[in-house]
Amino acid sequence: MTGAGRPRVLIVDDEESVTFALRRYLEREGFAVECADEAERAMAILDRGDVDLLLADLRLSGVSGQEGFALVEHVRDRHPACRSILLTAYGTEEIEQEASRRGAALVLAKPQALADVVTAIRRVLGTDES
Amino acid sequence: MRPAQPTAEQLRIAIENASDGLVVLDESNRVVVANEALHRLLGWESGALLGRSLVDLVPRDFLTLHDRQLREPGRHVERFDRGDGRTIEIENSTIGGDGGGGQVWIFRDVSDQERRRRDSDEISRRMAILHGISVATLADGGEASILTAAVDGLAARYPDFRAVFAWLRPDGRLELARERGRVGESREGRVVDLASCRRELDALLQLRILETRDVRIDARAEAFRPLLAAADIVALLRGVVHVDDAGFALVGLDAATPQTWSEEQRRTVEAVTEHLTVALADARERALRREAERALALRESEHRALLSRLSGMAYRCLHDAEWTIEYASEGSRRLTGWSAAELESGGNVRYADLIHPDDRAALWASRRVAVAAGVDFSNEYRIVTADAAEKWVWDQASAVRDAAGEILRIEGFITDVTDRRRAEAARAELKRVLQQAATDWARTFDAAESPIVLVDERSEVLRLNRAALELCSAESFREVHGVRLVDLGGGALFEEGAALVASVLATRKRGSKHVPLPVDGRHWFLTASPDDAPGEHARRVVLVFKDVTDTVALQASLRERELMAAMGRLVAGVSHEVRNPLFAISATLDAFEQELGERHEFETYLQILRKQVERMTSLMGELLEYGRPAPKPSGGRADGTARPGRELGEHRLDELVKAVADESRAPAFERGCTVVFRGGGGNAAAGADALGLRSVVQNLLDNALQHSAPGGEVVVATAVETNASPAVWTLTIDDGGPGFREEDLPRLFEPFFSRRRGGTGMGLAIVRKIVLEHGGDVTLANRPGGGARARVELPVTRLDA
């Protein structure tokens, strides 16, 4: 945890409306938020080393439709202190297992109430009240 | 012995009674004497020739005979053909002392004589061919003419000489001919019953059987006296056994012959008789020799021809186990590979060694038996030739014995029958194979599950297999053979078959047709092929009925599955694509509400948006569920799209249903309804996706509750039908609601079909999808007493889990 105790969250999604809504919501919930719309930019931000949590869509602009996995692996390999949550519209058991194997803490299915997303982030970061 | 000179009177009588024509000419060639016979022979009235010239009597050609007689007095004989098929012999001699007298002409009809000789020769020849030499020698027609000549000669000399011809017939009757002349003709004869001398007769016949040619009956006169008395024979001249059915001929003198002959006369008769005996003996010997020669020549040429034609070996051997060959024909080389010289005794090869070792003992035994029984030996056996080849031969032989019956040698003929044996073996094998093939074919034909019918060009049944018999409900082939296809009683199916056969007969091309039968819902695929076998049966047609009901059902099911899978992929794709913007909307809504939710004026807008987003989210979830591929029963997750939390495995179905029913009690209570569970499924279990099945039960139960009025009762019941294989577990959910509209019943399981406000219409579609994925079936119906019934059937994998 860095800075003035505000957890830093990196949101990666190629849908601008999604990053907009998430940024506004999370900031109001007390998170420091940064956004990226593709994997390369996201990695650059991650490599600064101050991100506490990666919230990435599984499918980014790319051909595999599973670019999010690469980000999760990058975090696991380079930034062990950082945690990862994947969002996906294709929620299946297989994706959950694969994400877990690559180091993601959680997979959330789209659509999802943002309140529940915040709860999940807090639980993953170990900062929830309970 | 010189015969005595006849007197003029005797001569006259002899001339008058002679059967030959006699004419005496004087010096000027005028007829002075002409007998009755001459007139008959030359066709003149009796006595009409007297005083006429010789020129009037005979053809001009025969005047040369007269001229010659004048030049060279003596005896001359000429023959001429009278023109009507009869041959006349003319004997001409001078009479009257020193040649100054006239001439005597004797005209003799020799046609019969010639004919008899020819006949006799013909008989002899035939007999020779048919029976060989021993029988051929019996046929001697010469004796009869000699006998005739002798008797005629005597009669000519002694006018009172009366010969008796007695024919002893095989039937035991004696036939007498008094007329002197031809032997074998019975003129003015009488028949004597010989019952009184049966013993003698038998003795004679016995003699004949013994092939005694002539019998000196006078030597046994005492024994034959009754027979001679019966024949009126007082002095026996000859007894001759004839070969033909005429039987036994006796020639003697009858009582009319003067008993008081002079010594000279007696000597003459004796001399003639003696001469006759010698002549007969000579004739017989000549005939014997002639016939023997003829038969021999015949046999030899026949044999030579046979031997040269046949690829066999003629042989003569001793009757011993070594088969010592005395003579072998040259066919031996072709037959055995050894020359005749090598095989014959003194050669280096023993025939017995050529006989196949396996056949040798049996063959020798067989030959001994045949020889002992006096029958011909005929056997087929194997020989081994010089080049070690095995041949089948046919050996036909007989024993040659001497007069005492001792075996002198064996004579026979051996032919190569290898080809025939091989052909027979091949034929037998072919027959066996054909029979086997026919049997196999019949079995295969009957074993075929598809009905097969063979029909002729009139569409009449020639053959059909067991399955076809069952198809037309016939008991036996006999019932339907020759019956027309359309009359077989199979209804539309056979009518379609007959139509197909007709088109195949017309086009000679194979045809087929799919025949669905509305009556029993079965599908048949008919194939008719022309029987292309060449020959008389070229216009037959083979009709095969194939029951494709299952295939058609499978195809329909596959089509539905494929359709559902394709639709699933589409729906899942759409659903995924919709979920992203849906999340963008819901996330924006959340952010909006977070920032501005306190403000009262936005509340209604937010509620509406929130509700519609939720509805859309729910619909997307259902669509995704509907489009999800079936889980693999093995538990694998290879498809990559299975919903999390699947519990694939064997589940007790009643437990599963009871749990859902229990959970629904609370919401039911809220509606004022009750849920009753009647578990009759025991411990039946099925390999199932528990979550999926739970949602099926839940969905159907929710449906039932939604249509139940307050106070209504929903009955959930299970049962197991164990008489099916596999056993079937059934679930029925009955409600007391209004039931379904009749027109809705066929569409209830269609996606998006819903009469309920706000319903997505996916619930029942998903129910059906899941049940079908479990190999089961689901139906919705109205109960007769009112209300609806949902019924689910699932195949049971274990009855007592």
Side-chain angles (χ1 to χ4, degrees):
Chain A
M1 211 128 341
T2 56
R6 291 205 327 159
R8 186 170 292 274
V9 174
L10 173 60
I11 296 166
V12 188
D13 200 312
D14 58 356
E15 189 74 43
E16 203 185 331
S17 54
V18 169
T19 54
F20 166 75
L22 276 170
R23 175 196 283 277
R24 293 299 294 266
Y25 197 95
L26 290 183
E27 278 176 354
R28 284 181 67 88
E29 289 289 334
F31 292 96
V33 177
E34 285 194 67
C35 294
D37 63 353
E38 45 95 19
E40 210 171 310
R41 187 183 300 263
M43 281 184 195
I45 295 169
L46 284 169
D47 288 347
R48 287 197 326 249
D50 59 351
V51 176
D52 295 306
L53 188 127
L54 169 73
L55 181 64
D57 190 11
L58 178 61
R59 195 185 73 172
L60 301 169
S61 53
V63 287
S64 76
Q66 299 192 334
E67 291 78 6
F69 282 147
L71 285 176
V72 169
E73 269 184 338
H74 184 82
V75 166
R76 184 192 63 191
D77 297 345
R78 304 274 180 85
H79 311 287
C82 184
R83 314 300 302 276
S84 303
I85 292 176
L86 276 175
L87 277 165
T88 177
Y90 303 85
T92 68
E93 208 173 317
E94 281 71 28
I95 285 176
E96 258 181 81
Q97 283 171 357
E98 183 68 13
S100 163
R101 199 172 62 78
R102 293 175 189 243
L106 196 64
V107 175
L108 292 174
K110 287 180 177 179
Q112 195 74 240
L114 295 192
D116 294 342
V117 173
V118 169
T119 309
I121 291 174
R122 290 211 169 103
R123 204 169 63 227
V124 166
L125 288 174
T127 55
D128 55 335
E129 292 85 10
S130 61
Chain B
M1 188 175 290
R2 226 177 135 252
Q5 285 292 321
T7 62
E9 176 60 13
Q10 281 171 338
L11 191 60
R12 195 192 58 79
I13 293 169
I15 287 171
E16 209 46 56
N17 291 314
S19 61
D20 297 336
L22 266 157
V23 61
V24 180
L25 306 174
D26 64 12
E27 291 167 356
S28 56
N29 288 324
R30 295 218 172 259
V31 175
V32 289
V33 177
N35 68 356
E36 195 60 31
L38 180 77
H39 285 84
R40 268 204 315 276
L41 269 176
L42 299 182
W44 291 80
E45 294 285 323
S46 181
L49 283 169
L50 288 174
R52 286 185 172 271
S53 163
L54 170 73
V55 186
D56 295 327
L57 312 186
V58 294
R60 181 163 294 278
D61 284 354
F62 285 85
L63 289 176
T64 53
L65 190 63
H66 175 251
D67 292 339
R68 198 167 88 206
Q69 192 59 249
L70 294 180
R71 285 196 309 275
E72 307 164 34
R75 185 169 173 273
H76 301 285
V77 178
E78 293 282 350
R79 284 188 178 194
F80 78 97
D81 198 336
R82 203 172 65 171
D84 58 357
R86 300 197 77 84
T87 303
I88 307 296
E89 191 178 74
I90 302 171
E91 186 179 326
N92 160 308
S93 51
T94 47
I95 48 168
D98 50 7
Q103 293 181 17
V104 175
W105 295 66
I106 302 168
F107 292 75
R108 201 176 291 125
D109 186 345
V110 294
S111 311
D112 292 342
Q113 199 181 329
E114 280 296 307
R115 199 186 64 236
R116 269 202 300 278
R117 184 170 291 128
R118 278 201 307 275
D119 288 351
S120 164
D121 285 354
E122 179 62 22
I123 289 164
S124 302
R125 199 178 61 76
R126 280 191 214 151
M127 297 293 270
I129 291 168
L130 291 174
H131 301 291
I133 186 165
S134 60
V135 179
T137 52
L138 289 173
D140 179 13
E143 287 184 349
S145 28
I146 289 169
L147 213 50
T148 308
V151 171
D152 281 354
L154 284 169
R157 282 179 205 284
Y158 309 109
D160 53 356
F161 176 88
R162 304 285 291 182
V164 177
F165 296 94
W167 295 97
L168 186 58
R169 303 291 180 191
D171 63 0
R173 288 145 67 88
L174 193 68
E175 198 174 331
L176 301 174
R178 291 197 175 275
E179 183 75 20
R180 145 191 84 178
R182 297 175 189 82
V183 174
E185 283 181 18
S186 171
R187 232 180 289 164
E188 301 169 13
R190 70 181 174 94
V191 174
V192 179
D193 188 352
L194 285 180
S196 59
C197 52
R198 187 76 224 179
R199 205 159 45 88
E200 289 74 17
L201 177 68
D202 286 344
L204 275 175
L205 295 176
Q206 193 67 27
L207 288 172
R208 183 185 176 199
I209 288 162
L210 290 173
E211 296 190 3
T212 303
R213 296 277 312 146
D214 55 4
V215 191
R216 284 193 164 273
I217 295 177
D218 52 349
R220 310 177 182 197
E222 206 54 37
F224 292 109
R225 198 170 299 281
L227 179 63
L228 298 178
D232 279 355
I233 291 174
V234 294
L236 191 65
L237 284 177
R238 280 302 274 186
V240 177
V241 175
H242 270 257
V243 291
D244 61 6
D245 286 340
F248 200 93
L250 301 168
V251 183
L253 301 178
D254 70 359
T257 307
Q259 295 298 304
T260 53
W261 278 16
S262 67
E263 187 58 29
E264 186 198 326
Q265 285 172 318
R266 201 168 297 281
R267 275 207 309 273
T268 305
V269 171
E270 276 174 11
V272 170
T273 308
E274 188 61 36
H275 172 73
L276 188 60
T277 305
V278 174
L280 285 174
D282 284 346
R284 205 179 76 205
E285 258 189 55
R286 270 199 312 280
L288 268 168
R289 204 162 38 243
R290 200 170 59 244
E291 295 302 329
E293 280 165 2
R294 191 181 305 169
L296 273 173
L298 197 66
R299 274 166 70 89
E300 191 148 321
S301 66
E302 269 178 358
H303 284 174
R304 214 178 291 123
L306 277 172
L307 292 179
S308 66
R309 266 205 308 277
L310 297 177
S311 64
M313 175 180 100
Y315 70 95
R316 192 168 64 231
C317 72
L318 300 181
H319 182 48
D320 60 13
E322 276 74 40
W323 304 69
T324 308
I325 301 258
E326 288 184 345
Y327 160 81
S329 72
E330 268 310 315
S332 72
R333 189 178 288 283
R334 221 155 89 190
L335 187 76
T336 67
W338 303 103
S339 71
E342 284 170 311
L343 283 174
E344 283 165 9
S345 52
N348 50 1
V349 182
R350 289 197 318 169
Y351 185 76
D353 293 339
L354 301 187
I355 298 166
H356 195 287
D358 293 352
D359 296 347
R360 211 172 287 157
L363 189 65
W364 174 234
S366 161
R367 174 163 283 194
R368 273 184 307 176
V369 167
V371 167
V375 297
D376 283 355
F377 163 86
S378 175
N379 252 321
E380 286 190 14
Y381 56 91
R382 288 164 293 175
I383 62 166
V384 179
T385 65
D387 51 1
E390 200 176 287
K391 271 186 184 174
W392 277 97
V393 297
W394 177 47
D395 191 339
Q396 200 185 32
S398 53
V400 178
R401 296 165 194 267
D402 65 12
E406 284 298 312
I407 296 155
L408 297 174
R409 62 189 87 88
I410 305 290
E411 284 182 351
F413 193 79
I414 303 173
T415 324
D416 184 352
V417 293
T418 311
D419 288 346
R420 175 171 63 73
R421 291 291 291 227
R422 278 204 196 114
E424 277 171 5
R427 249 201 316 280
E429 176 64 11
L430 185 68
K431 194 178 164 195
R432 195 192 63 74
V433 168
L434 282 175
Q435 276 173 346
Q436 185 65 45
T439 314
D440 287 351
W441 181 84
R443 284 208 193 106
T444 312
F445 189 58
D446 268 349
E449 281 178 19
S450 295
I452 302 171
V453 184
L454 182 67
V455 297
D456 63 14
E457 59 194 356
R458 294 182 304 278
S459 209
E460 290 174 3
V461 174
L462 291 171
R463 260 176 214 284
L464 75 179
N465 68 352
R466 206 172 297 283
L469 271 180
E470 284 167 16
L471 185 64
C472 58
S473 311
E475 293 288 321
S476 70
F477 174 63
R478 197 188 301 268
E479 274 179 53
V480 292
H481 181 250
V483 174
R484 284 170 57 83
L485 206 52
V486 284
D487 299 331
L488 276 184
L493 184 58
F494 282 96
E495 282 167 23
E496 295 280 4
L500 185 61
V501 165
S503 81
V504 167
L505 280 170
T507 62
R508 302 310 297 162
K509 287 203 177 68
R510 183 188 164 96
S512 59
K513 188 185 258 180
H514 175 210
V515 181
L517 293 179
V519 181
D520 55 2
R522 300 208 75 80
H523 288 256
W524 292 91
F525 190 76
L526 274 49
T527 309
S529 318
D531 183 356
D532 285 334
E536 54 188 307
H537 303 308
R539 300 220 3 113
R540 307 194 301 191
V541 174
V542 183
L543 181 61
V544 181
F545 298 79
K546 196 168 179 208
D547 185 346
V548 291
T549 311
D550 292 344
T551 314
V552 166
L554 191 65
Q555 277 172 349
S557 148
L558 271 176
R559 265 200 301 277
E560 189 180 336
R561 253 169 223 263
E562 278 170 18
L563 193 68
M564 281 177 86
M567 198 157 77
R569 281 193 297 277
L570 181 73
V571 163
V574 167
S575 160
H576 283 135
E577 290 309 311
V578 170
R579 278 171 134 190
N580 273 316
L582 200 57
F583 180 52
I585 293 169
S586 73
T588 307
L589 205 54
D590 285 347
F592 182 82
E593 199 175 9
Q594 185 193 47
E595 277 187 45
L596 306 164
E598 306 296 319
R599 292 172 64 171
H600 201 65
E601 65 265 35
F602 293 143
E603 199 183 328
T604 311
Y605 298 100
L606 285 173
Q607 272 178 3
I608 292 170
L609 285 170
R610 179 74 67 199
K611 193 178 171 191
Q612 292 304 317
V613 164
E614 274 170 13
R615 186 173 163 191
M616 208 166 196
T617 305
S618 160
L619 175 60
M620 287 307 116
E622 283 176 337
L623 281 176
L624 208 58
E625 174 64 34
Y626 185 70
R628 181 183 53 81
K632 303 238 163 121
S634 62
R637 294 289 190 275
D639 60 82
T641 54
R643 203 171 55 178
R646 287 288 143 104
E647 296 172 51
L648 272 178
E650 212 160 54
H651 299 281
R652 285 183 185 163
L653 298 166
D654 271 27
E655 269 179 20
L656 192 145
V657 172
K658 187 170 185 297
V660 177
D662 286 346
E663 284 166 17
S664 68
R665 275 187 228 285
F669 182 75
E670 281 173 22
R671 299 180 66 96
C673 299
T674 51
V675 172
V676 179
F677 175 68
R678 290 178 189 152
N683 289 328
D689 161 16
L691 221 66
L693 280 189
R694 235 176 239 128
S695 77
V696 165
V697 180
Q698 184 76 62
N699 207 312
L700 294 173
L701 199 48
D702 286 352
N703 239 21
L705 284 170
Q706 276 162 19
H707 291 97
S708 294
E713 188 185 65
V714 173
V715 179
V716 178
T718 60
V720 171
E721 291 170 14
T722 51
N723 54 348
S725 178
V728 174
W729 174 86
T730 59
L731 161 72
T732 53
I733 298 175
D734 294 349
D735 66 50
F740 304 101
R741 296 188 200 178
E742 279 298 318
E743 68 265 31
D744 289 351
L745 282 172
R747 302 187 58 197
L748 291 172
F749 292 108
E750 283 180 16
F752 307 114
F753 181 80
S754 177
R755 294 262 179 206
R756 190 161 54 87
R757 182 183 285 270
T760 60
M762 288 304 294
L764 287 175
I766 291 170
V767 163
R768 176 167 148 80
K769 174 182 184 286
I770 293 172
V771 171
L772 292 184
E773 278 170 6
H774 284 81
D777 197 14
V778 56
T779 52
L780 291 169
N782 291 321
R783 290 190 293 145
R789 164 172 286 187
R791 180 185 162 92
V792 174
E793 287 182 5
L794 288 178
V796 173
T797 50
R798 275 177 75 186
L799 272 172
D800 195 17

